[in-house]
Amino acid sequence: MVFLEDAALTRAAQAGEVTALGLLLERHRAGMRAVALSILGPGPDADDVLQDAALTALRRIGDIRDPGAVGAWLRMIVRNTARSLLRGTVPTRPVDDGLDLPTAEAGPEQWLDQSALRDWVWEAMEELSPALRLPLVLRHFTTQVSSYDRIADVCGVPVGTVRSRLSQGRAKLAAALAATADAAHGDTARRTRDTRTQAHETLAAAESGHFGRLLAERWSPEVALFRGADRVGGGDLLVRAMDGDIGAGVRQRLTDAVAGRSLAVWEMDIVNPSDDPGHCPPTVAWLMTLDEAGRVHRLRLFHPRRLPAMQLLPVL
């Protein structure tokens, strides 16, 4: 009977029914909490892991192959998330979870493409304030900027504030999901494809010496460049920095990209010239806030991994 009820609820949740997913989480909450407590003990970390697991289930319920085994799947998500928290890492995917998994090279957009609920999630994200939306996107939809300390660096706030904003964001997201269940949802897969194309075109323009022209044509004329919570310049500073790096032989290669209506993230590997391997840190994330026309009007450049000698330098 439990198997049949779980299977029916899972199929309903995969079809986008809000109440079905809520019932599934409620049915298995005790087992999920027991797993979290067995690994982390009582406290805020266990609560964070349960919230993370609920959002992961929301994003990926459409991928599960065996609807009747959803309870074991939910407990596995909690177990992997808790263990990763202890290791100070963020799981890129659960292991042996009964899903049709993408390849190891797959990016976050491919996870989203497999979920029937992806458009609904991103539509609900747009209902959140920017201060709550950004930490949630970084935590759950990026590969290199998802740890608490890196989110804190990006936002220019303490780690405790990150935890608080994530908790608030998840609570508000649950309400926003219920409110937007019957609304028209944007095409997240299309947005992701479009932003990947824009990233490639931006890098190509930089390498051909036309970065400034592309920014003038496609980005907001009031674009502001931020480091943490502090404004450090505008488009002219970004153009000078990019032109300087290109002139020095530095190249960027897109690894992942995600986008909603108001926020896009490009994650890049940096390739330094062979005669100056330490010119730039090895990776960079472009965190872009978009205006109503879809143009970038705020940009944060964040280096998730820096070379040891650069730890104290004011890198954008």
Side-chain angles (χ1 to χ4, degrees):
M1 180 63 71
V2 172
F3 177 90
L4 294 176
E5 291 177 357
D6 274 357
L9 287 171
T10 301
R11 293 190 184 98
Q14 289 173 333
E17 291 188 18
V18 184
T19 54
L21 183 60
L23 287 171
L24 276 174
L25 292 172
E26 190 61 34
R27 283 166 65 89
H28 295 284
R29 187 179 306 278
M32 294 166 68
R33 177 171 288 278
V35 171
L37 293 176
S38 70
I39 298 172
L40 300 170
D45 284 345
D47 293 335
D48 286 347
V49 163
L50 288 174
Q51 291 177 332
D52 275 353
L55 188 51
T56 298
L58 172 66
R59 290 190 294 117
R60 300 182 53 197
I61 193 71
D63 299 334
I64 191 167
R65 289 198 304 262
D66 183 359
V70 67
W73 180 71
L74 289 169
R75 292 190 295 274
M76 176 277 306
I77 292 174
V78 173
R79 184 179 302 109
N80 286 354
T81 305
R83 288 174 176 172
S84 296
L85 182 63
L86 288 177
R87 293 194 301 267
T89 62
V90 176
T92 56
R93 66 181 188 182
V95 178
D96 193 23
D97 57 2
L99 303 178
D100 291 315
L101 298 175
T103 64
E105 293 77 22
E109 78 287 344
Q110 289 170 274
W111 287 109
L112 288 172
D113 281 345
Q114 291 191 352
S115 173
L117 302 177
R118 67 187 184 278
D119 298 338
W120 178 31
V121 174
W122 279 91
E123 196 67 32
M125 286 274 197
E126 296 294 341
E127 299 296 312
L128 305 182
S129 69
L132 297 182
R133 185 188 309 123
L134 179 59
L136 275 176
V137 169
L138 296 180
R139 177 68 174 168
H140 295 284
F141 296 95
T142 68
T143 58
Q144 298 185 34
V145 200
S146 50
S147 65
Y148 291 132
D149 57 344
R150 289 178 178 175
I151 297 173
D153 285 344
V154 167
C155 298
V157 299
V159 170
T161 302
V162 170
R163 288 181 178 272
S164 175
R165 289 182 181 179
L166 285 170
S167 180
Q168 294 177 52
R170 294 185 191 107
K172 290 183 179 295
L173 181 62
L177 285 164
T180 59
D182 298 324
H185 302 151
D187 188 341
T188 303
R190 178 186 56 78
R191 286 197 183 106
T192 298
R193 290 193 298 269
D194 289 348
T195 201
R196 292 182 69 87
T197 298
Q198 292 163 11
H200 288 303
E201 291 174 351
T202 300
L203 295 179
E207 293 179 15
S208 63
H210 301 304
F211 184 64
R213 181 193 305 172
L214 181 141
L215 259 62
E217 292 174 351
R218 299 189 182 184
W219 290 31
S220 168
E222 291 82 31
V223 62
L225 188 60
F226 281 77
R227 183 171 185 265
D230 301 322
R231 186 184 189 279
V232 295
D236 54 345
L237 174 60
L238 181 60
V239 171
R240 289 198 304 272
M242 178 64 85
D243 288 348
D245 282 346
I246 293 295
V250 176
R251 297 294 184 269
Q252 297 184 40
R253 298 290 179 262
L254 183 71
T255 58
D256 290 307
V258 293
R261 285 203 314 269
S262 61
L263 180 67
V265 180
W266 299 343
E267 296 183 85
M268 309 277 194
D269 283 341
I270 294 180
V271 182
N272 286 315
S274 58
D275 60 347
D276 188 10
H279 187 91
C280 287
T283 59
V284 64
W286 297 45
L287 312 167
M288 296 163 287
T289 304
L290 312 178
D291 63 17
E292 293 183 356
R295 301 174 303 177
V296 179
H297 73 100
R298 290 175 63 132
L299 170 67
R300 291 180 175 93
L301 291 177
F302 176 73
H303 295 278
R305 294 188 294 122
R306 299 181 186 175
L307 300 174
M310 295 181 175
Q311 291 297 326
L312 298 180
L313 295 180
V315 182
L316 292 177

